[in-house]
Amino acid sequence: MGSRTGIVVTGTEVLTGRVTDRNGPWLAERLREAGVDVAAVIVVGDRPDDVRDALSFLAGSGVDLIITSGGLGPTADDLTAQVVGEFQGRPSSLDTELEAHITAIIERLSAGRGWRLDPAATAAGTRKQAMVPDGASVLAPVGTAPGLVVPPHPDRPAPPIVVLPGPPGELQPMWPAALADPIVQQALAGAAELRQRTIRLWGTPESELAATLRAHDDVLDGLEVTTCLRDGELEIVTRFGAAAQPNYDRLAQVIAETYPRTLFSPDGRTIDDVVADALLAQGRTIATAESCTAGLLAGRLTDRPGSSAYVLGGLVVYSNAAKTELAGVPAELIERVGAVSAEVAEALARGAAGRLGADVGVGITGIAGPDGGSAEKPVGLVHFCVFGHGRTLARAVQLPGSRADVRKRAVVVALHLVRHLLSEG
């Protein structure tokens, strides 16, 4: 499938999960947009031998280009540039112009932030960052760490290696310069258009979709189809070359005809986008009253820029007193049926709409756990209600997983109930 790359993400903090890898997925998508396939993303710690092993594996797999991220700082554990230079058979030497450039950056940052730096330590760190493998191209630093494009020594059969900093705020602005480098352009000369399309279903099991794909395997030629079930949503991602577009169009038609009731996004939009677009198109506003999710739904509704056009606000009503005082739920109702009930969920939805003057109100009340459940109302039970223009949609769901899982999945269920209400309207 044209040119292929491998990505090595370095950093013990990423390997151990203290920091989530944002660079690997971001680079993979930028490469796909450039028509380049990614063979592998490898995460390694700050250990030279592990970095070398990852480079050796990718070089042996036949990729046209390797990209690394991380390990370019001034501290002793940041050794990526040195290791890459050695791997490519190119010893490093001091680039005095680059050293002066980094020094000027540090002086500007220090003056603006009021830092007091030890001159000797700063000079040593700057010198380390200005060591460049012989024959490498320097990518101008966004922070203090320059990037590098390191070709292999003529006697070594290896692909070029692009060395990028670890902080996403430095890596991402540097990427256009890396992609435009002549050595990189030559390595990726075989790039061809690589399309990616996403379809999303709500409530369809993966097993059913798998049976559908088996029954229509005649349309899968040239398509790389992957599926992921996440919080009740089935995501179908298909990658293909331009020549396979007719096959993809037939696949999309098969899915639309087979799952008309559960297909909610034929164009890849998320449920957040679908709900926001519907609210905007219908000129409606929304408000929430949340107990067990404690504002997570309101937070997600406002993640999208411009959400002030349709989100009026949210009530966090964790205690029974808050449900009564803020959302107007009768205390007698809570005492009679309990806070986790269909009746209270409806009262919360109506209260959110009424108290905040919204067209649509959402009420959520449940038991996120790990304690507080009973035989009648077990942990994971969540009641939902969406109210708008005199109509209500209610649902009670038993959600699996940890406390965090229950709260996260409850937000997704609520969003889909809002979608149903708006689509019926």
Side-chain angles (χ1 to χ4, degrees):
M1 192 180 282
S3 299
R4 301 172 75 240
T5 64
I7 299 171
V8 181
V9 178
T10 68
T12 302
E13 69 280 5
V14 181
L15 180 66
T16 58
R18 298 199 311 274
V19 174
T20 300
D21 174 27
R22 294 168 54 192
N23 292 336
W26 189 89
L27 286 168
E29 181 58 16
R30 300 293 79 74
L31 288 161
R32 184 203 63 79
E33 292 171 350
V36 181
D37 193 27
V38 175
V41 178
I42 302 174
V43 180
V44 297
D46 296 305
R47 295 182 288 267
D49 288 344
D50 291 346
V51 176
R52 291 189 195 96
D53 289 343
L55 296 175
S56 296
F57 171 79
L58 291 173
S61 70
V63 299
D64 303 291
L65 181 74
I66 297 173
I67 303 171
T68 72
S69 77
L72 300 184
T75 58
D77 61 328
D78 290 316
L79 296 170
T80 302
Q82 176 185 332
V83 171
V84 168
E86 294 170 353
F87 182 83
Q88 296 291 64
R90 294 182 175 274
S92 297
S93 58
L94 179 65
D95 184 325
T96 55
E97 290 187 6
L98 179 59
E99 182 183 31
H101 182 59
I102 296 172
T103 298
I105 292 173
I106 294 174
E107 289 175 350
R108 185 175 66 251
L109 291 174
S110 299
R113 301 177 183 179
W115 291 344
R116 293 185 177 180
L117 304 178
D118 177 78
T122 302
T126 300
R127 181 181 179 86
K128 177 180 179 296
Q129 290 184 294
M131 298 294 289
V132 176
D134 294 346
S137 302
V138 175
L139 304 172
V142 175
T144 63
L148 300 168
V149 178
V150 187
H153 189 275
D155 297 334
R156 296 199 178 192
I161 300 177
V162 177
V163 181
L164 299 175
E170 297 181 26
L171 178 147
Q172 294 178 13
M174 191 180 289
W175 174 245
L179 192 60
D181 185 271
I183 295 174
V184 175
Q185 287 288 302
Q186 183 179 0
L188 302 181
E193 184 180 4
L194 184 59
R195 299 177 181 178
Q196 179 171 295
R197 302 290 184 268
T198 302
I199 296 173
R200 303 179 195 275
L201 308 176
W202 168 249
T204 295
E206 279 188 289
S207 57
E208 287 191 18
L209 177 64
T212 298
L213 295 178
R214 286 194 298 269
H216 296 86
D217 60 357
D218 57 309
V219 305
L220 300 181
D221 187 38
L223 305 180
E224 180 185 338
V225 182
T226 58
T227 63
C228 177
L229 183 62
R230 188 163 37 202
D231 298 330
E233 294 181 356
L234 183 55
E235 182 181 82
I236 309 161
V237 179
T238 307
R239 292 157 60 93
F240 54 94
Q245 183 67 52
N247 280 3
Y248 176 76
D249 293 339
R250 289 196 290 273
L251 173 64
Q253 182 180 358
V254 166
I255 293 174
E257 293 174 350
T258 307
Y259 305 105
R261 294 180 62 83
T262 60
L263 173 63
F264 73 90
S265 177
D267 54 9
R269 289 181 301 158
T270 64
I271 182 59
D272 310 69
D273 292 330
V274 171
V275 168
D277 292 345
L279 287 166
L280 286 169
Q282 297 177 24
R284 297 194 186 193
T285 56
I286 190 169
T288 65
E290 305 176 59
S291 182
C292 63
T293 50
L296 293 179
L297 174 59
R300 186 153 165 179
L301 285 168
T302 55
D303 275 343
R304 176 169 152 158
S307 57
S308 59
Y310 50 87
V311 179
L312 296 189
L315 306 175
V316 176
V317 287
Y318 214 66
S319 69
N320 290 345
K323 292 178 177 64
T324 298
E325 295 170 10
L326 298 179
V329 180
E332 175 275 328
L333 178 65
I334 298 175
E335 184 176 351
R336 176 164 51 86
V337 299
V340 180
S341 60
E343 294 88 345
V344 169
E346 180 174 346
L348 289 173
R350 290 177 178 272
R355 293 292 175 95
L356 293 172
D359 300 309
V360 178
V362 185
I364 306 175
T365 179
I367 305 170
D371 303 317
S374 66
E376 296 78 18
K377 297 181 179 181
V379 169
L381 174 65
V382 183
H383 283 274
F384 304 85
C385 185
V386 180
F387 168 77
H389 289 286
R391 296 180 301 115
T392 60
L393 284 179
R395 178 177 294 181
V397 179
Q398 181 68 45
L399 297 172
S402 66
R403 178 181 178 85
D405 292 334
V406 169
R407 284 154 54 89
K408 178 183 176 184
R409 291 167 179 169
V411 170
V412 177
V413 174
L415 287 168
H416 279 280
L417 280 177
V418 173
R419 173 180 64 85
H420 278 296
L421 183 83
L422 295 173
S423 65
E424 291 177 4

